[in-house]
Amino acid sequence: MTDLAEFRAGTRAWLEANCPPGARGPGLIPTGSTKVEITDRDTRVWLDRMIEKGWTAPDWPKEYGGGGLNKLEYSILAEEMKRIEARPALGGFGVMMIGPTILEFGTEQQKRTHIPRITRAEVAWCQGYSEPGAGSDLASLSTRAEDRGDHFVINGQKVWTSGAHLADWMFILVRTDPNAPKHQGISFLLLPMDQPGITVRPIRMINGEAPFNATFFDNAVAAKDDLIGELNKGWTVGKRLLQHERSGMGELMMGSTGGVVEERLVDEARSALGHDGGRIADPVWRSRVAAHEMNRHAYRLAQRRAVEESEGGTPGPVSSIFKLYGSELQQDFYDLTTRMRGTRGFSTDLQTATAEEREMTSLWLHYRAVTIYSGSNEIQRNIIAKRVLGLPD
């Protein structure tokens, strides 16, 4: 315990000295995209310092640019970052999804090729999973990859491709054996986005933003060396990647912009509803806010327990519990935050609404989709029933 106390003291001192004021609280979290310039000086400084420290991926091996921290040290780092509201220096699919997957399934050459670029924020990734006819039933995917010796040629379409317009690389599930049963004959590939055979078309959302895309492949090329795992056995790799995503380990350990905002729910309620010595004035709303706060803390503790009890730091099928409950918890937060403001809760008018009110309305609209993407909550309930509770089909 003395070693951990020393680690905490050193971590606290380093964060205080190296985390700039502009990297504390809600704000930009870079993804590593070469197509997005980081113009905010504090964000750039924070990222560079964390890269040098190895803490853009604190628990990844040092030989690939990570921090080499164990679970307890990682937890302490998260607590100390949370204490000063330090944002993660790097986010996105690289650190949250494909990085852990390559570390688990990749060859040594694949690890040395891709992992350091992720930790150094030199590349942003997007996910090629869903298709127009294969969403929740992902194994029905039809995008094909033909083996041409030293490379694959890919044809087909993906949809709801988050951040594809800003990504440098994609990890993609493709059908490499069309005659195999649908859960077989699928392979997991990596491919560069900047090539003639890939077309990205933004999808405009209800809130006016376009973070998702339809992505088309017309003889796109992926190198044979960028096959992750075995040929025709990519379903196992693809499922594991989703467990990394759904476990929320990065969010749990390092926090997120959403997490920082959610922890201000009580302050939001005091401001919108009034208070007496800090106590929310309206007893009904006081009860609703208290219930949400208790649920949020229980959720975080359950996440931490699952990560600490898991092998390799990422829970297995139990991660579906976090996707299911976490998405509903996020929706509850934005429901509470908008509704407690009364008639100004869903403001979008440029003349009458403040920028903060418009942003909150946009976030409320955005989080309507959280129970659908990354595997709908109906799918998560099926996984929990079969693989966690052991119920029959």
Side-chain angles (χ1 to χ4, degrees):
M1 296 301 292
T2 301
D3 290 343
L4 290 177
E6 292 176 354
F7 177 79
R8 183 182 295 277
T11 297
R12 178 174 294 188
W14 188 90
L15 290 173
E16 288 285 7
N18 287 278
C19 183
R24 307 186 187 199
L28 173 67
I29 300 178
T31 64
S33 173
T34 60
K35 302 172 186 179
V36 178
E37 182 183 0
I38 302 174
T39 58
D40 181 77
R41 180 184 179 279
D42 281 1
T43 299
R44 180 75 256 179
V45 167
W46 178 229
L47 177 59
D48 290 341
R49 290 174 179 174
M50 289 287 271
I51 289 172
E52 183 178 1
K53 190 74 171 176
W55 285 355
T56 52
D59 63 332
W60 293 7
K62 286 186 176 182
E63 61 261 40
Y64 307 123
L69 303 186
N70 61 38
K71 292 178 184 177
L72 291 177
E73 292 170 336
Y74 196 176
S75 178
I76 289 171
L77 171 60
E79 291 169 359
E80 292 302 318
M81 289 181 64
K82 182 178 178 181
R83 186 183 65 84
I84 62 171
E85 293 193 345
R87 293 195 303 276
L90 180 65
F93 291 174
V95 290
M96 294 291 291
M97 299 168 70
I98 188 60
T101 304
I102 294 175
L103 286 171
E104 185 171 352
F105 291 95
T107 65
E108 182 61 25
Q109 182 58 46
Q110 288 169 339
K111 293 174 186 178
R112 294 196 177 278
T113 298
H114 294 287
I115 299 300
R117 296 187 65 200
I118 295 173
T119 62
R120 295 194 301 261
E122 295 175 352
V123 60
W125 291 80
C126 63
Q127 178 183 34
Y129 273 29
S130 295
E131 298 182 5
S136 294
D137 184 16
L138 179 59
S140 296
L141 63 89
S142 60
T143 296
R144 296 181 60 173
E146 297 181 23
D147 190 337
R148 298 288 182 83
D150 64 346
H151 67 278
F152 294 95
V153 175
I154 302 171
N155 287 279
Q157 178 187 352
K158 297 293 181 177
V159 74
W160 307 117
T161 321
S162 302
H165 57 304
L166 301 176
D168 304 291
W169 280 72
M170 172 184 282
F171 50 91
I172 184 172
L173 286 176
V174 292
R175 191 161 296 284
T176 44
D177 184 353
N179 298 317
K182 71 176 187 179
H183 287 87
Q184 301 172 29
I186 293 173
S187 297
F188 190 106
L189 300 176
L190 312 178
L191 73 156
M193 291 293 288
D194 295 328
Q195 58 172 292
I198 298 179
T199 302
V200 177
R201 296 178 184 171
I203 300 173
R204 188 69 55 186
M205 307 300 290
I206 192 174
N207 63 0
E209 298 177 355
F212 307 113
N213 304 270
T215 309
F216 301 86
F217 306 93
D218 182 13
N219 293 328
V221 175
K224 185 64 70 68
D225 289 342
D226 284 324
L227 168 70
I228 303 296
E230 296 182 50
L231 184 68
N232 296 323
K233 295 184 179 180
W235 185 248
T236 298
V237 182
K239 288 193 301 181
R240 184 58 172 161
L241 180 140
L242 290 176
Q243 289 174 351
H244 286 297
E245 177 186 21
R246 292 166 182 168
S247 70
M249 184 175 178
E251 179 183 345
L252 162 68
M253 304 302 283
M254 301 308 294
S256 69
T257 52
V260 172
V261 171
E262 285 188 27
E263 292 179 9
R264 294 175 177 172
L265 178 60
V266 175
D267 291 337
E268 291 274 352
R270 288 169 178 161
S271 176
L273 304 168
H275 63 92
D276 180 15
R279 186 182 186 184
I280 299 169
D282 187 301
V284 174
W285 276 104
R286 186 165 63 241
S287 176
R288 291 175 179 172
V289 171
H292 178 86
E293 288 295 282
M294 288 188 289
N295 290 337
R296 183 173 65 83
H297 284 289
Y299 171 72
R300 295 297 189 193
L301 289 171
Q303 272 189 311
R304 176 156 297 183
R305 175 183 174 183
V307 169
E308 291 175 351
E309 291 179 351
S310 68
E311 296 183 6
T314 298
V318 73
S319 62
S320 289
I321 296 174
F322 305 133
K323 171 58 172 68
L324 171 68
Y325 192 76
S327 61
E328 293 177 348
L329 196 63
Q330 286 177 314
Q331 288 183 345
D332 183 54
F333 166 75
Y334 287 105
D335 279 339
L336 288 172
T337 305
T338 50
R339 294 181 189 282
M340 71 174 57
R341 301 182 184 197
T343 57
R344 303 192 67 82
F346 299 95
S347 302
T348 58
D349 188 273
L350 293 175
Q351 302 300 320
T352 61
T354 66
E356 194 271 340
E357 288 171 342
R358 295 195 301 273
E359 180 184 14
M360 190 58 66
T361 300
S362 177
L363 288 169
W364 182 88
L365 290 167
H366 171 80
Y367 279 98
R368 295 303 88 195
V370 74
T371 51
I372 301 174
Y373 62 65
S374 301
S376 70
N377 278 18
E378 288 77 15
I379 293 296
Q380 305 312 319
R381 287 186 173 91
N382 284 338
I383 294 173
I384 293 166
K386 294 178 183 179
R387 302 186 181 178
V388 179
L389 301 178
L391 299 178
D393 290 339

